[in-house]
Amino acid sequence: MIASSQTACRYERHQAAFPRWSALRLLAHAEFSATPGSVATVRQWARELLTGTASDTTVDDLVLLLSEVVTNAVVHSDSGRAPGGSVMVCLGFGGGFVHVEVIDDGSATSVPFVRAADADSDGGRGLLLVDLIATGWGACRDTTGNIVWFRLPVTAPGPCLPR
């Protein structure tokens, strides 16, 4: 994770620009290096934050989708192209959902969208998975870059019940 005054400023600008955060309770936000190795760090960070607050299924789905969205930010945005680039991740709760946002530096050459992947292709399915699994998702661009968000229903953690 990156700790800097830029982290707080980027998050505060984002929060002020999007009133949806007034209806959500922020769980955490953090900035990570925009490198392929950071994707595993983001997964671990999110899993540690959510374990015990949501069911294993919710946590597993969230970690999978977050991994896909962060990977897209690293691979396709200016965050991953620029030395010292970073990706901001915000997690919050509200209305029975866990809400996730990934903020990157955007790209002059592309915007996030669901791609039609070839059957034998190694990539191109990240946002398709988000579209299939998340209750809702979207992408927008503002002065901080691209924002890809998704939400999943929160089910409480509990013991496994026999079938």
Side-chain angles (χ1 to χ4, degrees):
M1 284 190 296
I2 299 172
S4 71
S5 59
Q6 177 187 0
T7 301
C9 293
R10 189 176 194 182
Y11 168 72
E12 289 166 2
R13 283 194 313 263
H14 169 71
Q15 188 179 31
F18 294 96
R20 69 179 160 260
W21 279 100
S22 65
L24 298 169
R25 180 178 55 85
L26 178 69
L27 176 62
H29 65 90
E31 196 147 359
F32 300 88
S33 296
T35 61
S38 291
V39 177
T41 305
V42 172
R43 283 194 303 260
Q44 179 181 1
W45 173 78
R47 186 172 296 283
E48 288 174 1
L49 282 169
L50 293 169
T51 297
T53 63
S55 71
D56 289 347
T57 301
T58 300
V59 173
D60 289 346
D61 286 349
L62 184 139
V63 168
L64 170 66
L65 299 184
L66 180 59
S67 179
E68 295 294 339
V69 174
V70 171
T71 298
N72 283 351
V74 168
V75 172
H76 299 293
S77 81
D78 292 344
S79 292
R81 294 183 193 111
S86 64
V87 175
M88 168 75 73
V89 179
C90 304
L91 300 174
F93 289 104
F97 295 94
V98 59
H99 184 85
V100 179
E101 295 195 4
V102 175
I103 309 166
D104 62 43
D105 290 337
S107 172
T109 60
S110 68
V111 294
F113 67 96
V114 177
R115 301 176 193 275
D118 294 331
D120 58 351
S121 174
D122 287 341
R125 293 177 185 80
L127 288 179
L128 177 60
L129 285 172
V130 173
D131 191 51
L132 291 171
I133 297 171
T135 303
W137 78 277
C140 55
R141 185 176 184 98
D142 74 355
T143 59
T144 65
N146 286 334
I147 300 162
V148 177
W149 64 269
F150 64 88
R151 67 177 171 251
L152 294 166
V154 175
T155 53
C160 294
L161 299 175
R163 294 180 188 224

